[in-house]
């Protein structure tokens, strides 16, 4: 429109147009009429866009209120942080947990919730977890002016923009003081149980007989639970360690044997009558049976693999969860298992296991040290 008006202005300055002003006026009116129509169309389009923007803004506000309500009513304590790790918002569970109002928390550094001597370490850990987006919880002792310090488990979630820059960070806080007290009490009950009873010792490779009216509870070492096939082949049913029970009533297999895997295995016997009378014993046994059940399912996943190499690799991963101990290069199996035992557990032959272990070493998936302990590399 500006270009057309400027063109019309230049035309009106020409000598030929000055001599015929009667011709210029109709042209100007026509141009102004066209411009007016275009302005009306543009105004209608702007009005339509304005309505769409208002509708979108209403929807966004409704979504914001809904998520704000979810944030406020969340059962766990959540604290949202800005880019500088200052507290941007807190929900109701946080104010209840910390026993203070939002006004005392908002726009303050989150490190104020940590005792003075631990603030630097807390800031460094928070920064590290923001960079790697570690969703694993970590334990911190938190401080609040209106309540005693308490142990908390923190879980971090990070929001980033399209370029990967941190927009905000949210911390989920859970008070684990009760959980730690329960674990401490459980540990004390277990220690008292082990200290007050006679221990029965067995050497590596020795078969452990069942007690007729009692169950065995492992105090020290590892045992192998197995059965025999019709061709006298051994099938691994589980590997049990400290705190795991076993007895004849916990299996429906007609042939069931328990063999000591460690150099020394120490057991205590608990009668069925005593277990029925003591609730803490029942809870301890139930937790051990749960571990046995989970382990049995893991071993079933081994037998479901068709290829021998897949069965062996899956078995190593199962053993990693059962008897693995972290080392610098990965996870080391704390028990030294023979190739024959690995073959029986993976339903293959000893020769095949030897070949497959050699291939896994060449592929850089495992190492075997001078004591024949297997380390599964990360």
């Amino acid at each position: 429109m500006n270009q057309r008006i400027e063109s019309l202005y230049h035309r009106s300055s020409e000598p030929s147009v000055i001599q015929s002003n009667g011709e210029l006026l109709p042209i100007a009116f026509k141009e102004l009429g066209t411009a007016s129509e275009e302005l009306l169309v543009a105004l209608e389009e702007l009005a339509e866009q304005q309505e769409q923007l208002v509708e979108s803004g209403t929807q966004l506000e409704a979504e914001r209120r809904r998520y704000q309500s979810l944030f406020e009513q969340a059962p766990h304590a959540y604290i949202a942080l800005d880019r500088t790790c200052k507290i941007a918002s807190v929900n109701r569970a946080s104010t209840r947990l910390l026993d203070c109002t939002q006004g005392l928390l908002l726009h303050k550094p989150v490190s104020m919730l940590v005792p003075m001597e631990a603030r630097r370490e807390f800031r460094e850990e928070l920064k590290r977890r923001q960079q790697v987006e570690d969703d694993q919880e970590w334990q911190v002792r938190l401080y609040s002016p209106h309540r005693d310090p308490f142990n908390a488990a923190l879980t971090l979630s990070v929001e980033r923009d399209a370029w990967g820059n941190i927009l905000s960070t949210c911390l989920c806080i859970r008070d684990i003081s009760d959980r730690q007290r329960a674990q401490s009490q459980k540990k004390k009950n277990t220690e008292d149980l082990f200290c007050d009873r006679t221990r029965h010792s067995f050497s590596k490779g020795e078969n452990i007989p069942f007690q007729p009216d009692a169950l065995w509870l492992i105090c020290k070492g590892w045992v192998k639970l197995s059965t025999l096939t019709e061709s006298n082949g051994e099938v691994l049913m589980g590997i049990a360690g400290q705190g795991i029970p076993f007895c004849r009533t916990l299996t429906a297999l007609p042939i069931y044997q328990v063999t000591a895997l460690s150099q020394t295995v120490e057991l205590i016997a608990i009668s069925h009558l005593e277990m029925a009378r003591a609730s803490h014993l029942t809870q301890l046994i139930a937790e051990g049976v749960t571990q046995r059940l989970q382990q049995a399912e893991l071993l079933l996943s081994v037998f479901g693999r068709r290829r021998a190499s897949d069965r062996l690799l899956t078995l190593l991963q199962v053993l990693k969860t059962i008897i693995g101990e972290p080392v610098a290069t990965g996870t080391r199996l704390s028990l030294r298992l023979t190739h024959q035992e690995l073959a029986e557990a993976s339903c293959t032959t000893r020769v095949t296991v030897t070949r497959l272990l050699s291939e896994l070493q060449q592929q850089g998936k495992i190492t075997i040290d001078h004591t024949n302990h297997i380390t599964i590399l990360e």
Side-chain angles (χ1 to χ4, degrees):
M1 287 174 60
N2 288 333
Q3 290 177 356
R4 289 161 65 179
I5 291 172
E6 185 178 359
S7 175
L8 187 62
Y9 174 77
H10 286 306
R11 287 181 60 188
S12 66
S13 302
E14 295 176 358
S16 59
V17 175
I18 294 175
Q19 295 175 1
S20 59
N21 285 332
E23 297 179 3
L24 180 62
L25 190 59
I27 296 174
F29 280 137
K30 184 178 179 180
E31 291 291 338
L32 289 174
T34 303
S36 177
E37 291 178 0
E38 291 180 353
L39 283 173
L40 288 175
V41 172
L43 285 173
E44 290 176 358
E45 292 177 352
L46 286 174
E48 184 179 351
Q49 293 175 3
Q50 179 69 17
E51 291 178 0
Q52 294 175 353
L53 287 173
V54 170
E55 183 179 356
S56 299
T58 303
Q59 294 176 354
L60 288 174
E61 179 62 20
E63 287 291 316
R64 188 195 68 79
R65 290 180 179 178
R66 186 168 71 87
Y67 284 114
Q68 182 67 27
S69 177
L70 292 173
F71 178 76
E72 289 289 341
Q73 298 176 11
H76 295 303
Y78 285 96
I79 294 180
L81 310 178
D82 60 17
R83 296 181 180 182
T84 61
C85 289
K86 290 185 178 180
I87 299 175
S89 61
V90 295
N91 65 349
R92 297 171 186 171
S94 297
T95 57
R96 291 194 298 266
L97 178 64
L98 300 172
D99 194 20
C100 60
T101 62
Q102 289 189 359
L104 294 176
L105 297 172
L106 293 179
H107 312 301
K108 305 291 196 309
V110 69
S111 57
M112 66 172 287
L113 300 177
V114 179
M116 184 72 70
E117 62 276 8
R119 289 181 182 178
R120 180 178 178 181
E121 181 182 355
F122 174 78
R123 287 192 293 265
E124 292 176 352
E125 181 66 15
L126 179 61
K127 183 178 180 181
R128 185 190 69 81
R129 289 176 178 267
Q130 284 179 326
Q131 299 302 322
V132 299
E133 297 188 16
D134 189 355
D135 58 354
Q136 298 294 323
E137 69 176 28
W138 85 97
Q139 296 183 12
V140 178
R141 189 159 182 82
L142 295 185
Y143 163 81
S144 175
H146 301 289
R147 65 164 293 179
D148 295 332
F150 63 97
N151 294 326
L154 304 184
T155 307
L156 177 125
S157 59
V158 180
E159 180 185 1
R160 300 178 183 274
D161 60 18
W163 297 272
N165 300 316
I166 296 176
L167 295 176
S168 63
T169 302
C170 190
L171 285 176
C172 175
I173 306 175
R174 293 184 297 109
D175 188 350
I176 59 173
S177 301
D178 292 340
R179 186 179 75 181
Q180 289 182 334
R181 281 192 291 269
Q183 291 175 347
S184 178
Q185 185 61 41
K186 174 188 171 183
K187 181 178 179 181
K188 183 178 181 302
N189 292 338
T190 303
E191 290 175 350
D192 293 343
L193 178 65
F194 289 165
C195 291
D196 297 340
R197 296 176 183 271
T198 303
R199 298 195 179 196
H200 303 265
S201 297
F202 298 88
S203 301
K204 183 176 182 178
E206 188 176 355
N207 288 331
I208 301 173
F210 289 107
Q211 296 282 352
D213 298 320
L215 59 78
W216 288 117
L217 190 64
I218 303 174
C219 301
K220 178 183 177 182
W222 296 88
V223 301
K224 178 176 65 175
L225 313 172
S226 59
T227 186
L228 297 178
T229 63
E230 295 178 354
S231 59
N232 206 32
E234 190 174 16
V235 179
L236 178 68
M237 304 305 296
I239 296 176
Q242 183 179 14
I244 305 298
F246 61 90
C247 63
R248 171 56 66 184
T249 57
L250 289 178
T251 180
L253 296 172
I255 301 176
Y256 198 75
Q257 63 183 19
V258 183
T259 309
L261 280 178
S262 303
Q263 294 297 331
T264 302
V265 174
E266 296 182 355
L267 311 173
I268 61 172
I270 302 176
S271 67
H272 297 313
L273 181 61
E274 180 186 3
M275 186 176 63
R277 291 176 179 176
S279 60
H280 70 279
L281 285 178
T282 304
Q283 181 181 0
L284 181 64
I285 300 305
E287 292 176 357
V289 172
T290 300
Q291 293 183 41
R292 285 272 309 277
L293 177 61
Q294 293 171 347
Q295 188 182 120
E297 291 182 343
L298 289 173
L299 289 173
L300 283 174
S301 68
V302 175
F303 303 141
R305 304 286 182 174
R306 293 186 178 181
R307 297 169 53 187
S309 58
D310 293 338
R311 288 198 300 273
L312 179 60
L313 194 57
T314 305
L315 174 65
L316 292 177
Q317 293 297 325
V318 171
L319 294 175
K320 174 182 175 180
T321 64
I322 299 173
I323 58 175
E325 53 185 16
V327 294
T329 57
T331 304
R332 179 176 182 268
L333 302 185
S334 58
L335 285 177
R336 185 180 61 186
L337 299 174
T338 66
H339 290 193
Q340 182 62 38
E341 289 172 331
L342 292 173
E344 293 167 349
S346 56
C347 297
T348 186
T349 64
R350 183 184 60 79
V351 175
T352 301
V353 165
T354 301
R355 176 178 58 82
L356 292 176
L357 287 177
S358 178
E359 291 178 0
L360 291 175
Q361 282 184 281
Q362 294 175 1
Q363 296 169 6
K365 295 182 178 179
I366 66 170
T367 59
I368 301 177
D369 59 22
H370 65 282
T371 60
N372 289 329
H373 282 82
I374 298 175
T375 298
I376 302 171
L377 303 179
E378 296 295 341

